[in-house]
Amino acid sequence: IHHVIHVSPTLSKREAVVKAASWWGRIGPDGRAHWADPEGKPPGPSSLAEVRRAKRSTARVVRRRLAAAAKASASAGKPGSPLDELIDPSVLECLNQDDRQPVQRAFEDGDAFLASDAEVDHELLVKVQFTQPVKLSAIRILAGPDSSSAPTVVKVFQSRPTIGFDDAADEEPTQELVLSDENVLQGEPVPLRYVKFQSVRNLQLFFGENNGGEQTQVRRIQFLGEPATNMDMKDWKPCKS
C-alpha cells in the first residue's frame, strides 16, 4: 500500500503519526488508532498482518518526512555562502554597459560600480557563467552612489545565454525580483525560489527598472548558495591556467 504523505513542519511527531494513522483506520476518543477495513469491520487474522505492515510503512515514511521538514526548517532564512570564486570572470558579459564602468566592477568589493550607457537608456543585461553547477538560494544586489539610478526590478533567467533585451523585457523569467531599500542600500539578500535553482550553470539578469534615473548603477552583485556537488568550498582551488 503506497500513499504520498505531506507532513507540515509545524506538526509535532505525535500529531504527524496520528494524522498518518487516521489514513489506515480511525482515531478513537482515547487518541489511539482502531484499525478497520473499508467496510468498517474489525480486521480478521488474515488482514491483521497487512494492517501492521501498513502501520510500519506509514511510520517509516512519516519519520523521513519529519526529518526532511526539520532540515528545511533549520536551513530556512540562511542565504548560503558567497559563490564569488565559482564565477568565470573570463566570460562575464553585460549589454549596454558604460565601457568606463564595466560589469567586472559589480563582482568585486569596493566603491566602483557597473553602470549603463546613459546615452542609450537605463537598461542592463548581465550574463554570468559558473565554473561548475551551483545551487542558488539568494542574490545580493547593491546600488551605486546615485539613488535615482538604483535598480528596483530585476528579471532572473536561467540557461538563456543568447537572450537579448527584447526577449528579456517580454518573456517570463525564472524569477522576478522586486528590490527594496533594505536590499539595494543595506545589502539584504533577496531570496530565490530554491527549487528552481538546483543546478545552475549560467544566469542572465535583466535590470529593466530603476528609481527614475537615466542610468542604472550597480555596485555589487553576489550570488549565495553552494556547489551542486556539495563540495566543501574550503577544498576548492581556482584554476590558474
Side-chain angles (χ1 to χ4, degrees):
I1 301 173
H2 300 281
H3 284 270
V4 177
I5 300 175
H6 298 280
V7 177
S8 169
T10 61
L11 288 178
S12 68
K13 183 174 182 180
R14 182 183 182 281
E15 290 171 331
V17 172
V18 168
K19 181 177 180 181
S22 68
W23 294 330
W24 304 110
R26 62 182 180 84
I27 303 300
D30 57 358
R32 302 179 69 178
H34 297 263
W35 305 102
D37 67 13
E39 296 180 358
K41 300 176 183 178
S46 61
S47 62
L48 185 58
E50 181 179 350
V51 170
R52 287 172 175 167
R53 285 196 299 271
K55 286 178 63 178
R56 290 195 295 269
S57 176
T58 299
R60 285 195 297 269
V61 174
V62 168
R63 286 194 294 269
R64 288 197 297 268
R65 295 287 173 138
L66 284 170
K71 183 178 180 180
S73 177
S75 62
K78 296 181 180 179
S81 302
L83 299 176
D84 298 341
E85 292 185 339
L86 296 182
I87 294 173
D88 188 344
S90 67
V91 291
L92 269 178
E93 182 182 3
C94 181
L95 305 184
N96 194 40
Q97 69 179 9
D98 183 335
D99 290 336
R100 296 167 298 180
Q101 296 164 313
V103 66
Q104 285 77 11
R105 293 185 171 189
F107 293 89
E108 302 170 350
D109 292 328
D111 295 328
F113 55 89
L114 161 68
S116 65
D117 188 342
E119 295 183 0
V120 179
D121 60 26
H122 64 279
E123 295 182 346
L124 287 167
L125 185 52
V126 177
K127 302 184 179 185
V128 181
Q129 183 168 313
F130 297 95
T131 57
Q132 69 174 81
V134 298
K135 297 180 180 180
L136 295 180
S137 54
I139 300 178
R140 180 178 286 119
I141 298 174
L142 286 168
D146 182 359
S147 60
S148 68
S149 297
T152 56
V153 178
V154 180
K155 284 185 173 184
V156 182
F157 295 88
Q158 185 178 174
S159 300
R160 297 291 305 279
T162 62
I163 195 170
F165 281 106
D166 290 341
D167 289 339
D170 296 339
E171 294 184 10
E172 190 74 17
T174 307
Q175 185 172 340
E176 183 173 273
L177 311 180
V178 178
L179 306 179
S180 65
D181 286 346
E182 287 76 14
N183 299 136
V184 297
L185 300 180
Q186 300 175 21
E188 182 71 23
V190 186
L192 295 176
R193 299 188 189 100
Y194 192 60
V195 294
K196 292 190 174 184
F197 298 91
Q198 289 292 290
S199 185
V200 179
R201 292 182 177 274
N202 59 76
L203 282 181
Q204 298 73 43
L205 308 180
F206 174 55
F207 293 80
E209 299 180 33
N210 63 16
N211 275 332
E214 295 181 354
Q215 183 183 62
T216 294
Q217 299 175 353
V218 181
R219 180 161 59 90
R220 193 69 165 94
I221 300 172
Q222 188 173 53
F223 300 102
L224 304 175
E226 62 181 339
T229 56
N230 291 323
M231 177 184 66
D232 191 334
M233 291 291 288
K234 293 181 295 185
D235 297 333
W236 182 81
K237 296 179 175 60
C239 179
K240 298 182 181 298
S241 59

